[in-house]
Amino acid sequence: MRDREVNSQDIGPEGFTGGLLEKEWAPCRHGCPVHADVRTYIEHAASGDLAGAIDVIREQLPFAAVCGRICHHPCEDNCRREEVDEPVAIREVKRFVAETQGAQGASLHPIGAPSGKKVAIIGAGPSGMSAALELAKYGHSPVVFDRDSVAGGIPATTIPAYRLPPDSVRMDVEWICAHGVELRLGVDIGNDVTIEHLLVSEGFDSVLIAAGLSFSRKLPIAGADHHRAYPVLDYLQTVKKGKRPDIGDDVVVIGAGDVAMDAARTSVRLGAENVKILCLENEEEIPAYEWELREAREEGVEVIQRRGPVRIKTDSKNAIIGLEARKVTRVFDEAGNFSPQYDDSDVVEVSADTVIFAIGQAPDPGYAAGSALEVDERGRISWNPDTCQTDIENIFACGEIVTPPGSVVEACESGKTAAKAIDSFLSGTKIDLGKEFPREIESLPERNAENIISRDRMPVPTLSPEKRKCSFSSFQSTYVPDVAVSEARRCMSCGGGAEVLIDKCSACLTCLRVCPFDAPVVTDVAEIASEGCQACGICEAECPSNAIVMKRYDRDCLKVKTKQAIDAGSDVVAYIGGFRASAAEWRGECGDELPGMAEIYLTATASVGVSDLLYAFEIGAKGVLVIPCSSGNDRYPMVAARTGRRVAQARKLLAESGIDASALLMAEAADEGRSAVVSILKDFMNNNSFQK
Amino acid sequence: MIVADRKPLDEIVNMLKPYENVLVLGCGACVSVCLSGGEKQARELAMQLNLRASNEGPGFHADFDCITRQCDREFTENLEKDPANFDAVLSIACGVGVGFMSELYPETPVLPGLNTTFYGANTAPGTWEEYCHGCGDCVLAWTGGICPIARCSKSLINGTCGGTHDGKCEVRDDLDCAWYMIYERLKQLGRLDEYRKMREPRDWGENRSGGPRRLTHEEVMELEEEVSNV
Ligand code: SF4
Ligand code: SF4
Ligand code: SF4
């Protein structure tokens, strides 16, 4: 028995196939902690539809602009394009979309009927704000408190501007707040007001603690309390506020996580001549992302590995003059737990005049003061991951205060989950956070990969280390529009391809014979696995039994577009392969469009069937042009040849029906630029005198 | 669809005499539908042959397999048994399958287990009747949908002949007279004008007498490989 059996009832009314997309997910979507529908938004971007793209992104990911800059992009790590050449640059496309659209350019989510319930959220970071958005959508009234004067949490206050400029955070916060999320900034819960007060006197029905980890840990070594021995968060926050901390020329950062990299690279930008990272780990064990470490090194940061600090040395005037560090013999024990061991006989002195401790963060449990919450000696509260509740049933928690440290998108996920729990609690239903996901599409079989055309990943414009060392402005700029759409077009539309309706298949073998990727297998009926299908649509257009539907577009969508064009007064329709076309062309915004001529852009003309061509004439088109890219230059192999066959066939059928076959033409030119396309369109209009 | 009928077992046994190791090959298309050449029939026939052989002495063995259609090359990839490992294949497809398999396995004798009889429809459970002759020049438009080529014993195009009686054919009493049926049907449709027309002699060149026939659909014929740009 096949894994997936789909028959014609499953496609629902009007040929709608969207539901089939939820039967399996591409691995990019699986990998994304909030399960953003990556394939769909990348496809929108590929067709220049940025408004559509941002809405799909924000459907799941409130911090779209922030994640477009700094996400650790597990989607890309999972991307199946890796099996052909390199993963799609999903994050960069997202950044382009989010920054181009801004907060105003994204639709707002619908808000549920007001429940009359108020929820206080402590912490305006990604998890708290994500929870607030969800609660607003459920119809509750979320109020977010933060002791800082800006909303956005660590991304707003701490992450250096060269990686994440304040504008990106503002965009996301502004969009979230537009859903009716109230912000009360500069309020320190536990100090200015207590949780008790919120619940009892201010009428909140529930509290969500999303306070994050705001203490940087220091080591209990001699000299750690020196004024030039900084906890990393204080250091980075001072800089982000535009102030200059007192540092010298010889900065040593202790730790090798991403925050340590931020501190080191910030120090370089502040002008420190020698910046060193000192860490327990060796090259393989360093916890920072590979690219963070590489970029830090490019900027001149030296990395001293397998050394543990013993004491900070000062001179007689109490100035720091160095750091003693002993040899590390191991960092983790056999079970992989952190358990460093040292060789005290091997101690070196590392020159330093400034030391930054970047060895991890801890919660600041100040919010609990005056409440019934119990806090342990490490500042932790008890928390039930199945319900997101603390010991007190209407006090919930989310984000890094209760989960392992993670990235922004993981915090968003945690916040969204907590919001769901709170909603259940407030509506008196059992909290059930169980999650089940559709099957994940597996790797690309070699025989299907053979004919996929390899395309280089678009590089991100990056300033040279010399230039970026002196500046806190972004060191990587976003794609220009044409590059962004080209990169998006590298996506293989995993899971958006062909589905066989087994009750209609007559096992004629046509799909197997026309597929350029050898995806269909026909036994008693055809089966097309998403693993191999490239979603080109060729088989759908050829199947004699109409037994194939495409999951990423409805069967009749081309006919619908054609009808709209004819109804709007066009006489002539051009179906244009859009693989090499600009976003402006796709959107019909070039300004040189011809009156009476509708240009319909397609992923590739491979999806245009003979029946589509006849349909245009049937509903009144006087002429139809089909313009694929020239042979070998299209998104898929054989598109021009396949399209040519269909046009020839349709011309034969038209001639038989008494329609002059010259009213249907094909020209392989969609890859030759706008002016070539326009001149073909003009010639066609003139030769056939279609003009009104 | 194509209707075919099992050959008498004696004839098959005779045909297989020179061979010891035989593959009975069924077809999942028409002959499965008319219950003569499906996987089940292939299995049954192999069993019959083995039973027969065990009475007549050791040496002979028949195995079976079945594919979706014996008239499409690709389905042979789904064969579980390789015909090359057998002394002979007994195909219980229609003659098309037998002929096509012979072409695909030139080293192996492919023998027919069925007699291919006609193009027919299922008129009652277990009954198939001839409706079309595949003559290549269809006349059903003016015969009320009843084929005189297939269903008139003499393939007349201007009927009836003098042998019609009480709606039956003179050839056999249990045969309906096709032209009588055509007349009745056209009357029912109010189109007896068609019946009154004298038809010109047919060009039988579209039939078999024009040599083996071929159909091409250029729009789906194989494409030349194109060189991909990177
Ligand atoms: S190719 Fe596209 S759909 Fe497939 S995994 Fe990569 S981004 Fe996702
Ligand atoms: S082309 Fe259509 S009918 Fe033919 S095998 Fe494929 S899915 Fe089945
Ligand atoms: S959509 Fe394209 S890649 Fe997928 S099975 Fe059909 S022809 Fe092959």
Side-chain angles (χ1 to χ4, degrees), chain B residues 15-37:
Chain B
M15 207 190 289
L16 295 175
K17 276 248 160 73
Y19 311 109
E20 292 204 322
N21 190 17
V22 171
L23 178 69
V24 182
L25 183 57
C27 172
C30 312
V31 290
S32 287
V33 180
C34 68
L35 312 180
S36 301

Side-chain angles (χ1 to χ4, degrees), chain A residues 498 515-517 519-520 528 533-539 550:
Chain A
C515 174
F517 304 102
I528 302 177
C533 175
Q534 294 298 302
C536 71
I538 289 179
C539 59
M550 296 297 293

Side-chain angles (χ1 to χ4, degrees), chain A residues 39-255:
Chain A
R39 185 191 51 74
T40 304
Y41 73 71
I42 294 284
E43 263 171 26
H44 280 296
S47 62
D49 176 12
L50 304 189
I54 190 65
D55 284 350
V56 176
I57 299 171
R58 289 206 186 274
E59 187 64 40
Q60 303 298 340
L61 180 62
F63 281 85
V66 167
C67 288
R69 292 268 187 164
I70 58 161
C71 190
H72 68 304
H73 54 60
C75 54
E76 280 181 41
D77 300 341
N78 276 14
C79 172
R80 298 167 80 239
R81 180 92 211 182
E82 163 89 352
E83 294 161 46
V84 178
D85 33 48
E86 281 177 281
V88 175
I90 301 169
R91 184 182 73 186
E92 298 308 324
V93 173
K94 179 176 24 244
R95 171 177 167 185
F96 169 77
V97 169
E99 292 181 6
T100 311
Q101 289 303 111
Q104 307 293 330
S107 310
L108 298 183
H109 292 169
I111 299 293
S115 67
K117 308 275 188 193
K118 281 168 68 181
V119 183
I121 296 159
I122 304 173
S127 67
M129 292 301 286
S130 299
L133 170 66
E134 292 304 303
L135 289 166
K137 283 160 64 177
Y138 288 125
H140 310 304
S141 305
V143 180
V144 186
F145 297 86
D146 201 293
R147 64 181 175 200
D148 221 293
S149 57
V150 291
I154 294 286
T157 60
T158 313
I159 297 180
Y162 65 90
R163 287 215 292 136
L164 183 64
D167 270 353
S168 300
V169 188
R170 271 199 290 271
M171 249 175 232
D172 292 338
V173 169
E174 187 188 320
W175 178 79
I176 292 168
C177 288
H179 292 82
V181 171
E182 186 188 333
L183 284 179
R184 292 195 203 158
L185 300 175
V187 182
D188 188 4
I189 303 291
N191 200 1
D192 301 332
V193 236
T194 63
I195 289 178
E196 219 53 43
H197 179 83
L198 293 174
L199 288 171
V200 177
S201 313
E202 290 209 35
F204 283 96
D205 299 280
S206 170
V207 171
L208 173 64
I209 300 162
L213 305 178
S214 54
F215 266 157
S216 325
R217 291 196 288 116
K218 275 186 164 189
L219 287 171
I221 57 175
D225 50 4
H226 192 279
H227 69 278
R228 266 193 176 183
Y230 293 97
V232 69
L233 294 182
D234 298 24
Y235 182 73
L236 291 173
Q237 284 162 7
T238 307
V239 177
K240 190 117 189 204
K241 283 196 186 108
K243 294 187 199 136
R244 193 192 154 81
D246 168 33
I247 64 167
D249 265 339
D250 228 346
V251 178
V252 174
V253 179
I254 299 172

